Amino acid sequence: MPKIVDHEQYRKELLDKCFDLFAQKGYGSITMRQIAEGLGVSTGTLYHYFPSKQALFEQLAQEICEQDLSTALAELEGAQTLQESMEALGRYLVKNEDYFIKWTYIWIDFCQHKDSKKMLRNSILKRTNQRYQEAICDLLGIQDSVLPSFVVSFVDGLILEKLWGNETIDFIEQCALLGKMLTAYLPQHPAKIKTKMDFSSAFES
Amino acid sequence: MPKIVDHEQYRKELLDKCFDLFAQKGYGSITMRQIAEGLGVSTGTLYHYFPSKQALFEQLAQEICEQDLSTALAELEGAQTLQESMEALGRYLVKNEDYFIKWTYIWIDFCQHKDSKKMLRNSILKRTNQRYQEAICDLLGIQDSVLPSFVVSFVDGLILEKLWGNETIDFIEQCALLGKMLTAYLPQHPAKIKTKMDFSSAFES
Amino acid sequence: MPKIVDHEQYRKELLDKCFDLFAQKGYGSITMRQIAEGLGVSTGTLYHYFPSKQALFEQLAQEICEQDLSTALAELEGAQTLQESMEALGRYLVKNEDYFIKWTYIWIDFCQHKDSKKMLRNSILKRTNQRYQEAICDLLGIQDSVLPSFVVSFVDGLILEKLWGNETIDFIEQCALLGKMLTAYLPQHPAKIKTKMDFSSAFES
Amino acid sequence: MPKIVDHEQYRKELLDKCFDLFAQKGYGSITMRQIAEGLGVSTGTLYHYFPSKQALFEQLAQEICEQDLSTALAELEGAQTLQESMEALGRYLVKNEDYFIKWTYIWIDFCQHKDSKKMLRNSILKRTNQRYQEAICDLLGIQDSVLPSFVVSFVDGLILEKLWGNETIDFIEQCALLGKMLTAYLPQHPAKIKTKMDFSSAFES
DNA sequence: CATGAATGAGTATTCATTCAT
DNA sequence: AATGAATGAATACTCATTCAT
């Protein structure tokens, strides 16, 4: 059955190339013709592999959700102190600003094209969200979920503000501020701290 | 004398009814005909009051912003300390959760349907964003813009997470945490504080 | 019956102001609202005086036809020789270029809005055309109709070329050329010349 | 391979059928839907071959211009003298009178629906106009542009007068007159003459 | 008389989708 | 499998005209 293998593989190749196309213009604005052109195929071929624009998009969203974050977040690991971690987070956001904005657009588009009740049951979406949160837990060295939710929300909001054209926000500055606030806050609420990370610096500053 | 209509007042009435219409389908998906039908007028009449779909949206945004600000102000004005303010903010968010989710969704959808470069030059939306930020400045009694940006981003992100179906986030809990973090942070960085608000409680906890 | 007089008079006043409005944008492009604004009245008032856009335009066309050319053509009278006359014609065309282009547009619009068979019977239109031709006859001092038709056609074409955006045509230069051609041609075909004008200069050059 | 259609050839077929459609209603009044119906295709197909109404018209203009030039050339090529050329031109105009009137009408109507400033920059229309002028240059055997402009304007005006319902103008008579005037004028201004054409007849009459 | 709010069919153009080749 | 021609309903927006006040 080599044909089936080829078909499936080619479909995935096309799907991969779709991320940038959707992200650049958004689900609503990009046309199937533009996608076909971007992929270097005809609209007929595109419809041969994907039954509709909606289906294509849903497959893409699923694909994105299943991407592994670990490599991306690995960049943040070198930091010695919380402050350094947060500053690394800031640099990471700056570097990937465009990507995150695109990602947010696609995500919102995805939400728009599902009934919200199905959404909540959509395990893929939920799992992805959770994974992000866990990554933040590790970064902070904290077990509690309230603080990581705080950080995740803050980061989401940072990206959202940029998406809204707010040019006055500086990711580096904001993350540094987050670092200082955590550093000021955590020593006063020590019960929630994991043992993994050294917060001695917090007491020095 | 024409038919007795207070143009300005009728415009505002129409505007108010538009929020739900946009919320149902999003900026991009709803058509001017559907809006007109929803308002019970003809498309011609709709265009008599609003020169374009975009202008209609921008006027709605301005209206919404002013309403938000005045309700929020009323809601938060009883608070004596920063902590109380933040807790009131949490309650306010919970109370209007659906509304904020819808509004955030509409706004993002609008942004996606414009060139981001044109968006940035759009003075109405810019000014609207600024006014939210200024309100936070007043709330915190702070002149600096970094900290208000922090708070705005955090609140945005909170709503965005909910929009994405994250049910584990608790607005009250999160805002209380924000209050504690600010309370821990601000006394150590007193230069940025206005005189208006009393932070003595921060030293007690 | 003072009311009727006022009504009629006001209608004529409005009509006069319409020429520029129609000429600037053309029948098809100008809207009744724009006309009303240009006249400083409401659309309702405009419709009070003119039953429809078409009727307004037809009344305007009639008015234009009935305008007397004598004042305009008086400018050409000072010339002593044919060559001078033609050069004066060139200057006259340059001075009134915009007016003639507008006039041509309106004229074409008028033709468009009549069946051509009615057009041919339209005595006003015909009479106006004739009057132009007669004016040229006087200018040339010629009784024959072929030569004046030639000149009229040439002038029409000059304006038409300008209307088509041909910037390389110079009215002065072209009319001077017409003068030279007539001066070269007429002495060889003297039978058609009236006695009024002196063409001795033609033999000198 | 798609449906077997020679895109380019089909486009020209459609274009040819467009002339009559434009002639019936004018550029401004005919709608793309009506054109599509007249061609027996859907609006989608029409836009598949022509990106816009304006582009459709410009392509038509180009096509028409090329056809005109080749038919005119065939018609006039037998002429031995300038006078014969002009008489052939007259016969050619008479033969195609209706066609030229329609085309002139369409063209003016098109100009009215554009900003004249944008029109001037429109290279397609400019080039089309230029080609007519160049053809006259070749016909007259003249390099200078003033005289060809004269002839072009005259011919334009002849048609315009007919368009306005002037029945007294006779193309043959007028063109013969043009021939005589040129024949009288040119020998006295020999510097501008090319070598290609024989003007000896001019000296005989 | 005068106003301008209201109408709704009409405009150029777009685009997801189908299907003959 | 692959192509791209064909479709036609849908989009934002316009405008001559009507009519209640």
Side-chain angles (χ1 to χ4, degrees):
Chain A
M1 301 171 282
K3 273 186 181 178
I4 291 171
V5 170
D6 279 345
H7 184 98
E8 265 314 281
Q9 190 193 320
Y10 192 44
R11 197 185 58 85
K12 288 222 166 180
E13 279 174 31
L14 293 176
L15 212 47
D16 281 344
K17 292 192 211 161
C18 282
F19 175 79
D20 275 333
L21 294 169
F22 270 109
Q24 272 158 31
K25 312 199 90 189
Y27 177 83
S29 294
I30 200 165
T31 71
M32 285 298 262
R33 236 199 291 269
Q34 287 169 334
I35 295 170
E37 271 168 29
L39 297 176
V41 299
S42 65
T43 55
T45 301
L46 191 55
Y47 273 90
H48 184 70
Y49 287 97
F50 306 98
S52 70
K53 190 184 181 185
Q54 167 104 8
L56 166 57
F57 179 72
E58 280 169 9
Q59 288 181 27
L60 172 66
Q62 192 150 336
E63 192 77 3
I64 290 171
C65 285
E66 283 165 359
Q67 276 171 11
D68 194 8
L69 296 161
S70 50
T71 46
L73 290 172
E75 294 188 41
L76 304 180
E77 280 185 352
Q80 299 295 321
T81 65
L82 222 199
Q83 189 63 34
E84 280 175 30
S85 286
M86 293 300 111
E87 282 162 7
L89 178 63
R91 288 190 300 273
Y92 174 68
L93 291 178
V94 167
K95 204 166 75 181
N96 299 286
E97 179 180 322
D98 273 2
Y99 173 83
F100 285 123
I101 288 175
K102 288 173 181 175
W103 200 92
T104 302
Y105 274 135
I106 289 181
W107 213 234
I108 293 285
D109 276 330
F110 186 67
C111 292
Q112 191 173 355
H113 291 272
K114 292 261 181 195
D115 329 13
S116 53
K117 284 172 189 174
K118 273 190 189 166
M119 270 281 302
L120 296 178
R121 286 183 206 125
N122 187 321
S123 55
I124 301 167
L125 180 51
K126 258 188 162 166
R127 211 188 314 144
T128 304
N129 252 348
Q130 242 166 1
R131 238 186 292 156
Y132 273 108
Q133 195 133 340
E134 280 162 19
I136 298 287
C137 280
D138 287 352
L139 188 66
L140 295 178
I142 280 171
Q143 276 176 329
D144 165 33
S145 77
V146 179
L147 209 44
S149 284
F150 183 98
V151 175
V152 167
S153 295
F154 169 68
V155 170
D156 286 347
L158 240 34
I159 293 160
L160 194 52
E161 281 289 322
K162 266 286 193 293
L163 180 152
W164 282 342
N166 184 339
E167 290 162 315
T168 66
I169 284 199
D170 180 328
F171 285 173
I172 306 251
E173 195 176 42
Q174 288 291 323
C175 287
L177 175 58
L178 175 63
K180 284 185 212 146
M181 289 183 66
L182 286 168
T183 308
Y185 169 77
L186 283 172
Q188 299 174 9
H189 306 77
K192 294 168 185 169
I193 303 174
K194 272 192 185 172
T195 52
K196 184 178 147 196
M197 191 169 264
D198 175 24
F199 290 103
S200 56
S201 65
F203 296 94
E204 291 160 13
S205 76
Chain B
M1 267 155 272
K3 294 177 185 175
I4 51 161
V5 173
D6 181 333
H7 189 103
E8 202 51 16
Q9 189 198 317
Y10 192 44
R11 211 200 84 231
K12 289 213 170 179
E13 280 174 31
L14 293 176
L15 219 41
D16 282 344
K17 292 192 212 162
C18 281
F19 180 86
D20 283 331
L21 294 168
F22 276 117
Q24 275 160 35
K25 314 198 92 191
Y27 175 82
S29 296
I30 199 165
T31 70
M32 286 299 262
R33 238 200 291 268
Q34 286 167 338
I35 294 172
E37 273 165 27
L39 296 174
V41 299
S42 65
T43 55
T45 301
L46 189 54
Y47 276 92
H48 184 68
Y49 287 95
F50 309 100
S52 69
K53 192 182 182 184
Q54 175 164 347
L56 167 56
F57 178 81
E58 285 170 359
Q59 288 182 26
L60 177 62
Q62 207 168 359
E63 191 74 6
I64 289 283
C65 173
E66 276 162 25
Q67 282 177 18
D68 278 2
L69 257 33
S70 68
T71 30
L73 202 71
E75 201 82 24
L76 303 183
E77 73 183 349
Q80 298 294 322
T81 64
L82 223 198
Q83 189 62 34
E84 279 176 33
S85 285
M86 293 300 114
E87 281 163 7
L89 177 64
R91 288 190 301 275
Y92 172 64
L93 291 178
V94 167
K95 202 159 68 182
N96 300 286
E97 181 178 319
D98 274 0
Y99 166 80
F100 286 124
I101 288 174
K102 281 178 184 171
W103 184 232
T104 301
Y105 161 61
I106 296 169
W107 194 282
I108 293 173
D109 197 42
F110 173 74
C111 289
Q112 205 168 10
H113 285 266
K114 299 279 133 199
D115 298 318
S116 52
K117 279 161 198 175
K118 278 188 186 168
M119 279 290 303
L120 297 178
R121 284 183 203 129
N122 185 316
S123 54
I124 291 178
L125 297 189
K126 234 179 171 173
R127 216 179 311 147
T128 306
N129 263 344
Q130 252 168 357
R131 291 190 57 178
Y132 280 114
Q133 192 133 339
E134 282 163 16
I136 298 284
C137 282
D138 287 350
L139 183 65
L140 296 180
I142 280 172
Q143 278 176 329
D144 163 34
S145 77
V146 179
L147 207 45
S149 284
F150 183 97
V151 174
V152 167
S153 296
F154 170 69
V155 171
D156 287 344
L158 239 35
I159 295 161
L160 189 56
E161 280 290 322
K162 270 283 195 290
L163 170 52
W164 284 346
N166 183 340
E167 290 160 320
T168 67
I169 283 195
D170 180 328
F171 285 171
I172 306 243
E173 194 175 43
Q174 289 290 324
C175 287
L177 174 57
L178 174 63
K180 284 187 213 147
M181 287 181 66
L182 287 169
T183 308
Y185 170 79
L186 284 171
Q188 299 174 11
H189 305 77
K192 295 168 184 167
I193 303 173
K194 273 190 186 171
T195 52
K196 183 178 146 197
M197 194 168 263
D198 175 24
F199 292 103
S200 56
S201 64
F203 297 93
E204 291 160 12
S205 74
Chain C
M1 296 170 283
K3 273 186 180 179
I4 290 173
V5 170
D6 280 345
H7 184 98
E8 265 315 279
Q9 190 194 320
Y10 191 43
R11 197 185 59 85
K12 288 222 167 181
E13 279 174 31
L14 293 176
L15 212 47
D16 282 344
K17 292 192 212 160
C18 281
F19 175 81
D20 276 334
L21 294 168
F22 271 109
Q24 272 158 33
K25 312 199 89 191
Y27 178 84
S29 295
I30 201 164
T31 71
M32 285 299 262
R33 235 198 292 269
Q34 286 169 334
I35 295 170
E37 271 168 29
L39 298 175
V41 300
S42 65
T43 56
T45 301
L46 191 54
Y47 273 89
H48 184 70
Y49 287 96
F50 306 98
S52 71
K53 191 185 181 185
Q54 167 103 7
L56 166 57
F57 179 72
E58 280 168 11
Q59 288 181 28
L60 172 65
Q62 193 150 338
E63 193 77 2
I64 289 172
C65 286
E66 283 165 0
Q67 275 172 14
D68 195 9
L69 298 162
S70 51
T71 46
L73 291 172
E75 293 190 41
L76 303 180
E77 281 185 351
Q80 298 296 320
T81 65
L82 224 199
Q83 189 62 34
E84 278 176 34
S85 285
M86 293 301 112
E87 281 162 9
L89 178 63
R91 288 192 300 273
Y92 174 68
L93 291 177
V94 168
K95 203 165 77 181
N96 297 287
E97 178 179 323
D98 273 2
Y99 173 82
F100 286 123
I101 288 175
K102 288 172 180 175
W103 200 91
T104 302
Y105 273 135
I106 290 180
W107 212 235
I108 293 285
D109 276 331
F110 184 66
C111 293
Q112 191 172 355
H113 290 272
K114 291 258 180 197
D115 328 15
S116 54
K117 285 172 191 175
K118 274 189 190 167
M119 269 280 303
L120 297 178
R121 285 181 206 128
N122 187 320
S123 56
I124 301 166
L125 181 49
K126 259 187 163 169
R127 212 188 313 144
T128 304
N129 253 348
Q130 244 166 0
R131 237 187 291 158
Y132 272 110
Q133 196 132 337
E134 282 162 17
I136 297 287
C137 280
D138 287 351
L139 188 66
L140 295 178
I142 281 174
Q143 276 175 330
D144 165 32
S145 77
V146 180
L147 208 45
S149 284
F150 184 99
V151 175
V152 166
S153 295
F154 169 69
V155 169
D156 286 347
L158 240 33
I159 293 160
L160 194 52
E161 281 290 321
K162 266 286 194 292
L163 180 153
W164 282 342
N166 183 340
E167 289 163 316
T168 65
I169 284 199
D170 181 327
F171 286 173
I172 306 253
E173 194 176 41
Q174 289 290 323
C175 287
L177 175 57
L178 174 63
K180 285 187 213 148
M181 289 184 65
L182 287 169
T183 307
Y185 169 78
L186 284 173
Q188 299 174 8
H189 306 75
K192 297 166 183 168
I193 303 172
K194 271 190 187 173
T195 54
K196 185 178 150 195
M197 193 168 262
D198 175 25
F199 290 105
S200 56
S201 63
F203 297 93
E204 290 160 14
S205 74
Chain D
M1 268 157 271
K3 293 178 186 176
I4 51 161
V5 174
D6 181 334
H7 188 102
E8 202 50 17
Q9 189 197 316
Y10 192 44
R11 212 200 84 232
K12 289 212 170 180
E13 280 174 32
L14 293 176
L15 219 42
D16 282 343
K17 293 192 213 163
C18 281
F19 180 86
D20 283 331
L21 294 167
F22 275 118
Q24 276 161 34
K25 314 197 93 190
Y27 176 83
S29 296
I30 201 166
T31 71
M32 285 299 262
R33 240 199 290 269
Q34 287 167 336
I35 294 172
E37 274 167 25
L39 297 175
V41 301
S42 66
T43 57
T45 301
L46 189 54
Y47 275 92
H48 184 67
Y49 288 95
F50 308 99
S52 69
K53 192 182 182 184
Q54 174 164 347
L56 168 57
F57 178 80
E58 287 170 359
Q59 288 182 26
L60 177 62
Q62 208 167 359
E63 191 74 5
I64 289 284
C65 173
E66 277 162 23
Q67 282 177 18
D68 279 1
L69 259 31
S70 67
T71 31
L73 202 70
E75 202 82 24
L76 305 183
E77 72 182 351
Q80 297 294 323
T81 64
L82 223 199
Q83 188 62 32
E84 278 176 34
S85 286
M86 292 301 113
E87 281 162 8
L89 176 64
R91 287 190 302 273
Y92 173 65
L93 291 179
V94 168
K95 201 158 70 182
N96 299 286
E97 180 179 320
D98 275 0
Y99 166 80
F100 285 124
I101 288 174
K102 282 178 183 171
W103 184 232
T104 299
Y105 162 61
I106 297 170
W107 193 284
I108 294 174
D109 197 43
F110 173 74
C111 288
Q112 206 169 8
H113 285 266
K114 300 279 132 198
D115 298 317
S116 53
K117 280 161 197 175
K118 278 187 185 169
M119 279 290 303
L120 298 178
R121 283 183 204 129
N122 184 317
S123 54
I124 290 179
L125 297 189
K126 234 179 171 173
R127 217 180 310 147
T128 306
N129 265 343
Q130 254 168 356
R131 291 189 58 176
Y132 281 115
Q133 192 134 339
E134 282 163 15
I136 298 285
C137 282
D138 287 351
L139 182 66
L140 297 179
I142 280 172
Q143 278 177 330
D144 164 34
S145 77
V146 179
L147 205 46
S149 284
F150 183 97
V151 175
V152 167
S153 295
F154 170 68
V155 171
D156 287 345
L158 238 34
I159 295 162
L160 188 57
E161 279 291 320
K162 270 283 195 291
L163 170 52
W164 283 346
N166 182 341
E167 290 160 322
T168 66
I169 284 195
D170 180 327
F171 286 172
I172 305 242
E173 196 175 40
Q174 289 291 323
C175 286
L177 174 58
L178 175 62
K180 285 185 213 148
M181 289 183 64
L182 287 169
T183 307
Y185 170 76
L186 284 172
Q188 299 174 10
H189 304 78
K192 294 166 183 168
I193 303 173
K194 273 191 187 172
T195 53
K196 184 177 147 198
M197 193 169 264
D198 174 24
F199 291 104
S200 55
S201 64
F203 297 93
E204 289 161 15
S205 73

